[in-house]
Amino acid sequence: MAAKDRLSTYRSMRSAERTPEPVPAEGPLPAGNDDTFVIQEHHATALHWDFRLERGGVLVSWAVPKGLPTDPKRNHLAVHTEDHPMDYASFAGEIPHGEYGGGQVYQWARGTYETVKWTDREVQVVLHGGPAEIDGAKFVLFQTGGKNWMVHRMSPAPAAASGRSWAPLPELIKPMLATAGSLPPPRDDDQWAFEMKWDGIRAVVYIEGGRARAVSRNDLDVTGGYPELRALGEALGSRQVVLDGELVAFGPDGRVSFGALQQRMHVRGASQVRSLARSVPVTYLIFDVLHLDGESTLELPYDERRALLEGLGLAGARWATPPVFVGGGADAMAVSKAQGLEGVVAKKRDSTYDPGRRSGCWVKVKHFLTQEVVLAGWKPGEGRRRGGIGSLVLGVYGDEGLTYVGNVGTGFTAAALADLERTLAPLEQAQSPFDVEVPKTHAKDVHWISPTLVGEVEFGNWTRDGRLRHPSWRGLRPDKRAEEVRVEPQGNG
């Protein structure tokens, strides 16, 4: 077949004056051994990997959105694209935006391959060269319809091939939780690591094929609300990783601000999310790695998981791996106080990760008391708040069900009150949601609501009759389930 036929589509989509990509003149195709392969990481409109195999003087090409699979049980989509010239095997660089395929192109792997089978609908090859996960591996590409193909790994998973156990990327790992308490005694200080207690939303982030998926503590997919995570997924490229961390926002003073984060926590509309991501950006602070490239790390001790996490070098515009204090609990507390943070989380250095469990191996030590609360109703305000919310009626679940623990009427901004009025209006109901009867003086004039929302308050202490003393509103917690809210042991930290 003439050279112009094999590359005519490629040439029609590019101009040598506008792109650094090779655009060869028409003419005979180069003679080769039909054994060169190249994989290029392509950060275009959507991240993908271009898999190219030399055949008949051109590079036959597929765009693979998630890269070549490492798990033989999971096939990946491969979209057949136009043939590329052989010179493209060494191309890397920036394709100008506005041009076809605009974005950065990196060389991800290059080597040789053996042809096992090649037909118009099926291609089987064994790759030689590139990263360990593909070197020596056998893949088959098969057509499923039109330009759509699938790529299947015929060789064992990389970990299995080296004698290690292979674990596919899990769908869900519930985050490990901390108990409230005090700093470990000084004599045990070196057995603990101390991390800052960040004032944000807990999120476990799953990364595969350059895509990030974020899940909150109550198992909700919150990816759409935090587009900042897209770049983190792209930065990790083809790696399979599960990370644990906290989504935080910063106030005008540069400190972590739960109030600023409130503006992002309830928004899911794409246009509003994009706007808020510019005005109130969120940063993902990463403190643990739970799965890495086909291996679960849950059974590894904290020190080993921390070493793996630091080895990933996760530092970007909207993500970071904050430092940890190994020993020195009192110093860590002093730093957290100077930064205006809640306190620290002390983690036993030899402890494993216990998904979904509240463990004494993680201890949160606070500078001030906080409590999650269930919103059960509201009382009308007076003066400037006349006609709106004056205070929120709060409850906590105990042995007898939902129990009244007081009202909160301070700590609100005007914007927070307006948002609460819109949020609570459709939840109103005639009957009290409490399982334990509320004293009549506290129940008077209350607008009861369905007890589905969780908030958080800061307070002085608990009274003898189980009420919050001097509570101040901190914000809603959409990442928490109402039925899980219990009185939190406060310790003496």
Side-chain angles (χ1 to χ4, degrees):
M1 186 177 289
K4 63 181 180 180
D5 294 329
R6 297 295 302 270
L7 295 175
S8 59
T9 300
Y10 175 89
R11 291 192 192 89
S12 71
M13 302 166 79
R14 294 163 178 83
S15 168
E17 288 74 34
R18 297 195 302 268
T19 178
E21 299 165 280
V23 184
E26 295 183 27
L29 293 173
N33 297 321
D34 287 348
D35 64 353
T36 295
F37 85 86
V38 63
I39 301 173
Q40 288 155 323
E41 185 176 318
H42 193 169
H43 293 255
T45 304
L47 172 66
H48 62 276
W49 283 261
D50 293 311
F51 183 36
R52 312 190 194 281
L53 300 173
E54 175 193 0
R55 189 78 173 179
V58 298
L59 294 172
V60 181
S61 300
W62 292 264
V64 188
K66 290 187 175 182
L68 296 184
T70 51
D71 184 354
K73 297 179 181 178
R74 301 177 69 174
N75 296 340
H76 287 181
L77 173 67
V79 180
H80 190 236
T81 62
E82 72 278 7
D83 293 338
H84 281 51
M86 284 300 302
D87 287 347
Y88 216 98
S90 58
F91 175 72
E94 180 82 19
I95 301 173
H97 290 286
E99 295 300 309
Y100 175 72
Q104 190 72 37
V105 177
Y106 299 96
Q107 288 273 334
W108 189 82
R110 183 173 177 175
T112 61
Y113 75 92
E114 301 170 42
T115 302
V116 179
K117 181 179 182 180
W118 193 297
T119 71
D120 289 342
R121 297 181 57 84
E122 182 180 345
V123 174
Q124 288 186 31
V125 294
V126 178
L127 305 184
H128 299 287
E133 66 253 39
I134 65 169
D135 187 16
K138 183 178 181 180
F139 294 90
V140 58
L141 296 114
F142 54 94
Q143 190 178 28
T144 58
K147 293 184 177 181
N148 287 342
W149 292 51
M150 300 296 289
V151 56
H152 168 71
R153 183 185 182 97
M154 302 178 75
S155 298
S162 61
R164 295 173 290 143
S165 59
W166 164 263
L169 194 78
E171 289 293 321
L172 180 68
I173 301 177
K174 289 182 175 290
M176 182 172 171
L177 304 175
T179 59
S182 307
L183 287 174
R187 66 177 181 275
D188 297 333
D189 219 28
D190 62 354
Q191 299 175 28
W192 296 79
F194 300 89
E195 301 173 359
M196 297 297 105
K197 189 177 188 309
W198 304 108
D199 209 357
I201 295 177
R202 188 79 172 273
V204 177
V205 175
Y206 304 76
I207 295 168
E208 183 177 28
R211 275 99 178 143
R213 176 174 60 92
V215 179
S216 70
R217 206 184 92 175
N218 56 345
D219 303 340
L220 295 178
D221 189 323
V222 296
T223 311
Y226 303 100
E228 294 91 340
L229 294 173
R230 175 182 174 181
L232 170 61
E234 292 187 353
L236 281 163
S238 62
R239 306 199 73 167
Q240 289 187 341
V241 188
V242 180
L243 302 170
D244 190 4
E246 196 96 354
L247 291 162
V248 303
F250 295 88
D253 60 357
R255 293 185 173 188
V256 172
S257 170
F258 189 68
L261 185 64
Q262 285 281 301
Q263 302 173 67
R264 296 289 303 274
M265 291 170 70
H266 319 289
V267 179
R268 291 296 178 265
S271 61
Q272 192 176 4
V273 166
R274 285 194 298 269
S275 175
L276 283 171
R278 292 189 292 270
S279 60
V280 189
V282 161
T283 299
Y284 187 47
L285 300 179
I286 306 159
F287 49 70
D288 219 325
V289 57
L290 314 183
H291 185 97
L292 183 61
D293 295 333
E295 293 187 86
S296 171
T297 63
L298 300 177
E299 295 300 319
L300 297 179
Y302 171 88
D303 277 355
E304 291 188 33
R305 299 198 313 275
R306 182 73 197 191
L308 289 174
L309 176 62
E310 292 179 355
L312 291 173
L314 297 177
R318 289 295 159 206
W319 63 92
T321 305
V324 61
F325 289 73
V326 177
D331 292 337
M333 282 294 282
V335 170
S336 71
K337 191 167 188 176
Q339 293 182 359
L341 297 171
E342 285 187 81
V344 303
V345 180
K347 298 183 177 181
K348 200 77 181 298
R349 294 175 59 193
D350 61 358
S351 64
T352 60
Y353 193 97
D354 200 356
R357 300 290 298 276
R358 194 174 292 280
S359 170
C361 292
W362 287 14
V363 180
K364 50 187 174 183
V365 188
K366 300 181 182 180
H367 298 295
F368 52 84
L369 303 182
T370 61
Q371 173 66 46
E372 293 168 8
V373 288
V374 178
L375 276 58
W378 59 275
K379 280 194 170 188
E382 299 177 353
R384 288 183 301 171
R385 292 195 192 172
R386 184 175 296 277
I389 295 174
S391 67
L392 297 174
V393 182
L394 311 176
V396 170
Y397 279 96
D399 294 339
E400 298 179 86
L402 187 62
T403 303
Y404 173 72
V405 294
N407 289 31
V408 60
T410 62
F412 300 101
T413 64
L417 283 171
D419 183 55
L420 281 166
E421 288 173 8
R422 289 190 296 269
T423 303
L424 301 186
L427 299 178
E428 285 210 25
Q429 62 183 37
Q431 301 298 318
S432 165
F434 287 108
D435 298 301
V436 179
E437 186 175 358
V438 181
K440 291 182 179 179
T441 54
H442 296 297
K444 185 179 178 182
D445 299 328
V446 171
H447 294 252
W448 302 113
I449 64 171
S450 174
T452 56
L453 298 178
V454 177
E456 184 172 289
V457 296
E458 181 179 340
F459 69 107
N461 53 37
W462 288 98
T463 66
R464 289 184 178 180
D465 57 351
R467 306 284 189 265
L468 296 161
R469 188 186 298 278
H470 307 308
S472 178
W473 181 250
R474 301 194 75 227
L476 288 170
R477 297 301 310 237
D479 56 326
K480 308 293 176 70
R481 287 194 177 96
E483 60 271 19
E484 297 175 347
V485 173
R486 301 289 189 275
V487 172
E488 183 178 337
Q490 301 298 332
N492 56 8

